[in-house]
PDB file of all heavy atoms in Angstrom:
ATOM      1  N   HIS T  95     -73.936 -11.832  -7.259  1.00 96.00           N
ATOM      2  CA  HIS T  95     -74.500 -12.292  -8.529  1.00 96.00           C
ATOM      3  C   HIS T  95     -75.934 -11.771  -8.590  1.00 96.00           C
ATOM      4  O   HIS T  95     -76.886 -12.514  -8.293  1.00 96.00           O
ATOM      5  CB  HIS T  95     -74.469 -13.820  -8.626  1.00 96.00           C
ATOM      6  CG  HIS T  95     -73.085 -14.381  -8.508  1.00 96.00           C
ATOM      7  ND1 HIS T  95     -72.510 -14.682  -7.295  1.00 96.00           N
ATOM      8  CD2 HIS T  95     -72.162 -14.684  -9.458  1.00 96.00           C
ATOM      9  CE1 HIS T  95     -71.297 -15.162  -7.502  1.00 96.00           C
ATOM     10  NE2 HIS T  95     -71.064 -15.168  -8.832  1.00 96.00           N
ATOM     11  N   PRO T  96     -76.151 -10.523  -8.943  1.00 91.00           N
ATOM     12  CA  PRO T  96     -77.473  -9.926  -8.787  1.00 91.00           C
ATOM     13  C   PRO T  96     -78.417 -10.093  -9.977  1.00 91.00           C
ATOM     14  O   PRO T  96     -79.612  -9.793  -9.863  1.00 91.00           O
ATOM     15  CB  PRO T  96     -77.126  -8.449  -8.594  1.00 91.00           C
ATOM     16  CG  PRO T  96     -75.905  -8.246  -9.420  1.00 91.00           C
ATOM     17  CD  PRO T  96     -75.140  -9.544  -9.350  1.00 91.00           C
ATOM     18  N   ASP T  97     -77.917 -10.544 -11.102  1.00 86.00           N
ATOM     19  CA  ASP T  97     -78.720 -10.386 -12.316  1.00 86.00           C
ATOM     20  C   ASP T  97     -78.939 -11.712 -13.022  1.00 86.00           C
ATOM     21  O   ASP T  97     -78.631 -11.871 -14.202  1.00 86.00           O
ATOM     22  CB  ASP T  97     -78.040  -9.382 -13.245  1.00 86.00           C
ATOM     23  CG  ASP T  97     -78.995  -8.892 -14.325  1.00 86.00           C
ATOM     24  OD1 ASP T  97     -80.202  -9.000 -14.109  1.00 86.00           O
ATOM     25  OD2 ASP T  97     -78.486  -8.430 -15.363  1.00 86.00           O
ATOM     26  N   GLY T  98     -79.469 -12.726 -12.303  1.00 87.00           N
ATOM     27  CA  GLY T  98     -79.821 -13.980 -12.957  1.00 87.00           C
ATOM     28  C   GLY T  98     -81.155 -13.864 -13.680  1.00 87.00           C
ATOM     29  O   GLY T  98     -81.909 -12.917 -13.492  1.00 87.00           O
ATOM     30  N   LYS T  99     -81.473 -14.848 -14.536  1.00 90.00           N
ATOM     31  CA  LYS T  99     -82.710 -14.787 -15.306  1.00 90.00           C
ATOM     32  C   LYS T  99     -83.932 -14.962 -14.409  1.00 90.00           C
ATOM     33  O   LYS T  99     -84.996 -14.445 -14.711  1.00 90.00           O
ATOM     34  CB  LYS T  99     -82.704 -15.863 -16.393  1.00 90.00           C
ATOM     35  CG  LYS T  99     -81.717 -15.546 -17.509  1.00 90.00           C
ATOM     36  CD  LYS T  99     -81.839 -16.535 -18.646  1.00 90.00           C
ATOM     37  CE  LYS T  99     -80.898 -16.174 -19.787  1.00 90.00           C
ATOM     38  NZ  LYS T  99     -81.032 -17.090 -20.927  1.00 90.00           N
ATOM     39  N   ASN T 100     -83.816 -15.726 -13.368  1.00 89.00           N
ATOM     40  CA  ASN T 100     -84.947 -15.857 -12.461  1.00 89.00           C
ATOM     41  C   ASN T 100     -84.519 -15.865 -11.007  1.00 89.00           C
ATOM     42  O   ASN T 100     -85.240 -16.335 -10.143  1.00 89.00           O
ATOM     43  CB  ASN T 100     -85.751 -17.123 -12.775  1.00 89.00           C
ATOM     44  CG  ASN T 100     -85.012 -18.392 -12.416  1.00 89.00           C
ATOM     45  OD1 ASN T 100     -83.795 -18.356 -12.178  1.00 89.00           O
ATOM     46  ND2 ASN T 100     -85.724 -19.510 -12.357  1.00 89.00           N
ATOM     47  N   ASP T 101     -83.268 -15.384 -10.761  1.00 91.00           N
ATOM     48  CA  ASP T 101     -82.778 -15.438  -9.405  1.00 91.00           C
ATOM     49  C   ASP T 101     -81.643 -14.447  -9.213  1.00 91.00           C
ATOM     50  O   ASP T 101     -81.205 -13.775 -10.149  1.00 91.00           O
ATOM     51  CB  ASP T 101     -82.308 -16.847  -9.044  1.00 91.00           C
ATOM     52  CG  ASP T 101     -81.309 -17.398 -10.059  1.00 91.00           C
ATOM     53  OD1 ASP T 101     -80.818 -16.618 -10.918  1.00 91.00           O
ATOM     54  OD2 ASP T 101     -80.983 -18.599 -10.000  1.00 91.00           O
ATOM     55  N   GLY T 102     -81.117 -14.349  -8.006  1.00 93.00           N
ATOM     56  CA  GLY T 102     -79.956 -13.552  -7.637  1.00 93.00           C
ATOM     57  C   GLY T 102     -79.346 -14.128  -6.371  1.00 93.00           C
ATOM     58  O   GLY T 102     -80.030 -14.779  -5.582  1.00 93.00           O
ATOM     59  N   PHE T 103     -78.012 -13.864  -6.231  1.00 95.00           N
ATOM     60  CA  PHE T 103     -77.353 -14.486  -5.092  1.00 95.00           C
ATOM     61  C   PHE T 103     -76.225 -13.586  -4.591  1.00 95.00           C
ATOM     62  O   PHE T 103     -75.406 -13.084  -5.358  1.00 95.00           O
ATOM     63  CB  PHE T 103     -76.787 -15.856  -5.470  1.00 95.00           C
ATOM     64  CG  PHE T 103     -76.070 -16.541  -4.353  1.00 95.00           C
ATOM     65  CD1 PHE T 103     -76.756 -17.016  -3.250  1.00 95.00           C
ATOM     66  CD2 PHE T 103     -74.686 -16.711  -4.386  1.00 95.00           C
ATOM     67  CE1 PHE T 103     -76.090 -17.659  -2.220  1.00 95.00           C
ATOM     68  CE2 PHE T 103     -74.020 -17.341  -3.354  1.00 95.00           C
ATOM     69  CZ  PHE T 103     -74.720 -17.809  -2.270  1.00 95.00           C
ATOM     70  N   TYR T 104     -76.172 -13.412  -3.245  1.00 96.00           N
ATOM     71  CA  TYR T 104     -75.107 -12.698  -2.560  1.00 96.00           C
ATOM     72  C   TYR T 104     -74.592 -13.604  -1.443  1.00 96.00           C
ATOM     73  O   TYR T 104     -75.378 -14.355  -0.848  1.00 96.00           O
ATOM     74  CB  TYR T 104     -75.621 -11.402  -1.945  1.00 96.00           C
ATOM     75  CG  TYR T 104     -76.160 -10.410  -2.947  1.00 96.00           C
ATOM     76  CD1 TYR T 104     -77.484 -10.534  -3.379  1.00 96.00           C
ATOM     77  CD2 TYR T 104     -75.378  -9.374  -3.428  1.00 96.00           C
ATOM     78  CE1 TYR T 104     -78.003  -9.629  -4.297  1.00 96.00           C
ATOM     79  CE2 TYR T 104     -75.899  -8.463  -4.338  1.00 96.00           C
ATOM     80  CZ  TYR T 104     -77.204  -8.594  -4.764  1.00 96.00           C
ATOM     81  OH  TYR T 104     -77.707  -7.711  -5.669  1.00 96.00           O
ATOM     82  N   SER T 105     -73.289 -13.499  -1.176  1.00 96.00           N
ATOM     83  CA  SER T 105     -72.773 -14.355  -0.104  1.00 96.00           C
ATOM     84  C   SER T 105     -71.601 -13.680   0.600  1.00 96.00           C
ATOM     85  O   SER T 105     -70.920 -12.821   0.040  1.00 96.00           O
ATOM     86  CB  SER T 105     -72.311 -15.708  -0.647  1.00 96.00           C
ATOM     87  OG  SER T 105     -71.120 -15.544  -1.419  1.00 96.00           O
ATOM     88  N   ILE T 106     -71.379 -14.103   1.839  1.00 97.00           N
ATOM     89  CA  ILE T 106     -70.211 -13.721   2.612  1.00 97.00           C
ATOM     90  C   ILE T 106     -69.794 -14.953   3.398  1.00 97.00           C
ATOM     91  O   ILE T 106     -70.603 -15.576   4.081  1.00 97.00           O
ATOM     92  CB  ILE T 106     -70.503 -12.522   3.542  1.00 97.00           C
ATOM     93  CG1 ILE T 106     -69.228 -12.128   4.296  1.00 97.00           C
ATOM     94  CG2 ILE T 106     -71.661 -12.805   4.471  1.00 97.00           C
ATOM     95  CD1 ILE T 106     -68.224 -11.448   3.441  1.00 97.00           C
ATOM     96  N   SER T 107     -68.498 -15.329   3.277  1.00 97.00           N
ATOM     97  CA  SER T 107     -68.021 -16.564   3.895  1.00 97.00           C
ATOM     98  C   SER T 107     -66.620 -16.347   4.431  1.00 97.00           C
ATOM     99  O   SER T 107     -65.895 -15.424   4.012  1.00 97.00           O
ATOM    100  CB  SER T 107     -68.011 -17.717   2.886  1.00 97.00           C
ATOM    101  OG  SER T 107     -69.280 -17.930   2.338  1.00 97.00           O
ATOM    102  N   ALA T 108     -66.224 -17.228   5.311  1.00 97.00           N
ATOM    103  CA  ALA T 108     -64.872 -17.176   5.879  1.00 97.00           C
ATOM    104  C   ALA T 108     -64.418 -18.580   6.215  1.00 97.00           C
ATOM    105  O   ALA T 108     -65.232 -19.460   6.501  1.00 97.00           O
ATOM    106  CB  ALA T 108     -64.836 -16.292   7.113  1.00 97.00           C
ATOM    107  N   GLY T 109     -63.107 -18.762   6.208  1.00 97.00           N
ATOM    108  CA  GLY T 109     -62.569 -20.063   6.547  1.00 97.00           C
ATOM    109  C   GLY T 109     -61.080 -20.138   6.270  1.00 97.00           C
ATOM    110  O   GLY T 109     -60.446 -19.164   5.851  1.00 97.00           O
ATOM    111  N   PRO T 110     -60.496 -21.305   6.489  1.00 97.00           N
ATOM    112  CA  PRO T 110     -59.060 -21.461   6.254  1.00 97.00           C
ATOM    113  C   PRO T 110     -58.732 -21.559   4.771  1.00 97.00           C
ATOM    114  O   PRO T 110     -59.553 -22.000   3.960  1.00 97.00           O
ATOM    115  CB  PRO T 110     -58.742 -22.767   6.975  1.00 97.00           C
ATOM    116  CG  PRO T 110     -60.007 -23.544   6.928  1.00 97.00           C
ATOM    117  CD  PRO T 110     -61.120 -22.551   7.014  1.00 97.00           C
ATOM    118  N   ILE T 111     -57.502 -21.136   4.458  1.00 97.00           N
ATOM    119  CA  ILE T 111     -56.985 -21.264   3.095  1.00 97.00           C
ATOM    120  C   ILE T 111     -55.571 -21.826   3.172  1.00 97.00           C
ATOM    121  O   ILE T 111     -54.798 -21.527   4.093  1.00 97.00           O
ATOM    122  CB  ILE T 111     -56.997 -19.912   2.355  1.00 97.00           C
ATOM    123  CG1 ILE T 111     -56.519 -20.087   0.897  1.00 97.00           C
ATOM    124  CG2 ILE T 111     -56.143 -18.869   3.077  1.00 97.00           C
ATOM    125  CD1 ILE T 111     -56.741 -18.848   0.048  1.00 97.00           C
ATOM    126  N   PHE T 112     -55.246 -22.655   2.229  1.00 97.00           N
ATOM    127  CA  PHE T 112     -53.939 -23.300   2.159  1.00 97.00           C
ATOM    128  C   PHE T 112     -53.354 -23.066   0.768  1.00 97.00           C
ATOM    129  O   PHE T 112     -54.095 -23.075  -0.227  1.00 97.00           O
ATOM    130  CB  PHE T 112     -54.066 -24.805   2.441  1.00 97.00           C
ATOM    131  CG  PHE T 112     -54.715 -25.105   3.751  1.00 97.00           C
ATOM    132  CD1 PHE T 112     -56.102 -25.300   3.824  1.00 97.00           C
ATOM    133  CD2 PHE T 112     -53.968 -25.169   4.912  1.00 97.00           C
ATOM    134  CE1 PHE T 112     -56.707 -25.571   5.039  1.00 97.00           C
ATOM    135  CE2 PHE T 112     -54.585 -25.438   6.131  1.00 97.00           C
ATOM    136  CZ  PHE T 112     -55.948 -25.629   6.198  1.00 97.00           C
TER     137      PHE T 112
END
Side-chain angles (χ1 to χ4, degrees):
H95 301 87
D97 196 21
K99 289 186 177 182
N100 70 346
D101 53 11
F103 179 69
Y104 298 84
S105 70
I106 182 73
S107 302
I111 183 170
F112 304 92

